[in-house]
Amino acid sequence: MTTYEDLLMEADYHNLVTKEKELPISKGRIKGNRIAIKKGLTEKEKKCVMAEELGHYYTGIGNILDLSNVSNRKQELQGRIYSYNRLVGLMGIIDAYKHNCQSVSETAEFLDVTEEFFHEAILYYRSKYGSSTTVDNYTIFFDPYVAVLELVR
């Protein structure tokens, strides 16, 4: 499982400088080779924010702060999608099921992400896959609740 420390080392490997700062609006920001993470966040929150900022580094081009621009909103979403797939992912949901996670809070705890981040990931997966999707021998349901069904053959 990826930790906040892992993400910091990954950023360092790419010559990105990460600092915790007072940020008035957002929880995180990347500009050039600098990543700012809002001071006072929990370790889980920092991990979720850092994964998104790395997602922006890998998928973005230029300054995307003006979210009234459609292209910038698309790039913002790409960074978030990267973080959802990196920290939750369909296999993460299946692994949580295999470890008997019975609720959103248990699943978020197992994946070591915030409940808010987990909810956002599920909303994204629902928008991408609809009410369910099948991976290997498992069907993941996103609507009305998150549930996993193991297919017996």
Side-chain angles (χ1 to χ4, degrees), residues 17-45:
V17 178
T18 305
K19 294 195 177 189
E20 291 186 29
K21 302 178 87 172
E22 297 294 334
L23 295 176
I25 298 173
S26 64
K27 292 181 182 179
R29 183 173 173 193
I30 185 167
K31 183 175 183 183
N33 72 332
R34 296 179 312 217
I35 296 175
I37 304 292
K38 186 173 187 166
K39 274 187 177 181
L41 299 178
T42 67
E43 196 79 3
K44 279 184 190 179
E45 289 172 317

Side-chain angles (χ1 to χ4, degrees), residues 6-87:
D6 293 334
L7 297 173
L8 289 173
M9 289 189 301
E10 183 178 331
D12 187 54
Y13 175 81
H14 290 287
N15 297 312
L16 299 171
V17 178
T18 305
K19 294 195 177 189
E20 291 186 29
K21 302 178 87 172
E22 297 294 334
L23 295 176
I25 298 173
S26 64
K27 292 181 182 179
R29 183 173 173 193
I30 185 167
K31 183 175 183 183
N33 72 332
R34 296 179 312 217
I35 296 175
I37 304 292
K38 186 173 187 166
K39 274 187 177 181
L41 299 178
T42 67
E43 196 79 3
K44 279 184 190 179
E45 289 172 317
K46 289 189 281 189
K47 175 182 167 179
C48 297
V49 171
M50 186 66 174
E52 181 179 335
E53 297 311 320
L54 283 172
H56 291 308
Y57 173 74
Y58 295 132
T59 65
I61 301 168
N63 181 339
I64 63 168
L65 292 176
D66 177 10
L67 293 179
S68 65
N69 178 303
V70 172
S71 176
N72 290 354
R73 284 196 308 273
K74 286 181 182 179
Q75 285 191 63
E76 176 66 23
L77 180 59
Q78 287 304 308
R80 288 186 184 193
I81 291 169
Y82 174 88
S83 67
Y84 300 149
N85 290 332
R86 174 95 186 251
L87 300 182

Side-chain angles (χ1 to χ4, degrees), residues 81-138:
I81 291 169
Y82 174 88
S83 67
Y84 300 149
N85 290 332
R86 174 95 186 251
L87 300 182
V88 175
L90 298 177
M91 291 309 298
I93 296 168
I94 292 168
D95 286 344
Y97 162 78
K98 289 178 181 178
H99 284 85
N100 300 314
C101 295
Q102 300 290 316
S103 66
V104 167
S105 60
E106 286 180 7
T107 303
E109 183 69 30
F110 173 80
L111 297 170
D112 194 34
V113 297
T114 66
E115 287 186 39
E116 176 186 14
F117 185 87
F118 182 72
H119 278 291
E120 291 170 0
I122 294 304
L123 289 174
Y124 163 69
Y125 293 136
R126 185 181 302 149
S127 73
K128 180 175 181 175
Y129 298 110
S131 61
S132 67
T133 190
T134 300
V135 178
D136 295 332
N137 289 332
Y138 298 90

